[in-house]
């Protein structure tokens, strides 16, 4: 899995490529912790090139969402979510916990 991080004035954009499974989830979670520990709580996750997400990846997403929403500081929003990933989020009951956007531009504009 590849992780690209771009920090903007308004938010942080994370682009993930490949498979987010138990082998790569710790690196992904560490990247998200680095962002939140630096005091940045508005995160856009671009999932366009994500092929698979496991329960470990979902756990990293939900724990980061909890940190970002605490004290109404920000949130994690998802952009370009593929249908198979959307189905996994729906099955886990996560679609109500995250805002989904069709593209990165609209996600950044609304975070």
């Amino acid at each position: 899995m590849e992780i690209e991080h771009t920090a903007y004035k308004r938010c942080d954009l994370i682009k993930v490529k490949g498979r987010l499974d138990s082998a790569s989830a710790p690196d992904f979670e560490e990247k998200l912790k680095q962002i939140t520990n630096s005091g940045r709580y508005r995160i856009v996750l671009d999932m366009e090139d994500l092929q698979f997400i496991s329960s470990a990846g979902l756990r990293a997403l939900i724990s980061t969402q909890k940190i970002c929403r605490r004290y109404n500081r920000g949130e994690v929003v998802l952009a370009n979510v593929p249908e198979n990933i959307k189905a996994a989020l729906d099955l886990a009951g996560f679609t109500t916990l995250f805002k989904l956007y069709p593209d990165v531009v609209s996600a950044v504009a609304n975070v």
Side-chain angles (χ1 to χ4, degrees), residues 46-59:
D46 183 2
M47 298 180 145
E48 183 176 21
D49 297 324
L50 189 65
Q51 299 163 352
F52 173 80
I53 188 165
S54 71
S55 60
L58 293 172
R59 188 171 45 253

Side-chain angles (χ1 to χ4, degrees), residues 1 32 34 39 56-57 77 90 110:
M1 182 187 75
L32 293 172
Q34 287 174 3
V77 298
D90 193 34
N110 291 302

Side-chain angles (χ1 to χ4, degrees), residues 51-88:
Q51 299 163 352
F52 173 80
I53 188 165
S54 71
S55 60
L58 293 172
R59 188 171 45 253
L61 281 177
I62 197 66
S63 65
T64 304
Q65 183 72 298
K66 284 182 181 179
I67 291 168
C68 290
R69 284 192 173 170
R70 188 176 297 145
Y71 310 120
N72 205 20
R73 295 183 285 197
E75 67 180 325
V76 177
V77 298
L78 310 177
N80 293 324
V81 182
E83 284 303 316
N84 63 328
I85 305 295
K86 191 181 285 187

Side-chain angles (χ1 to χ4, degrees), residues 41-44 65 68-69 73-77 97-99 101 110-111:
Y41 302 104
R42 292 188 172 119
I43 300 172
V44 175
Q65 183 72 298
C68 290
R69 284 192 173 170
R73 295 183 285 197
E75 67 180 325
V76 177
V77 298
L97 303 174
F98 295 94
K99 292 180 183 172
Y101 292 96
N110 291 302
V111 72

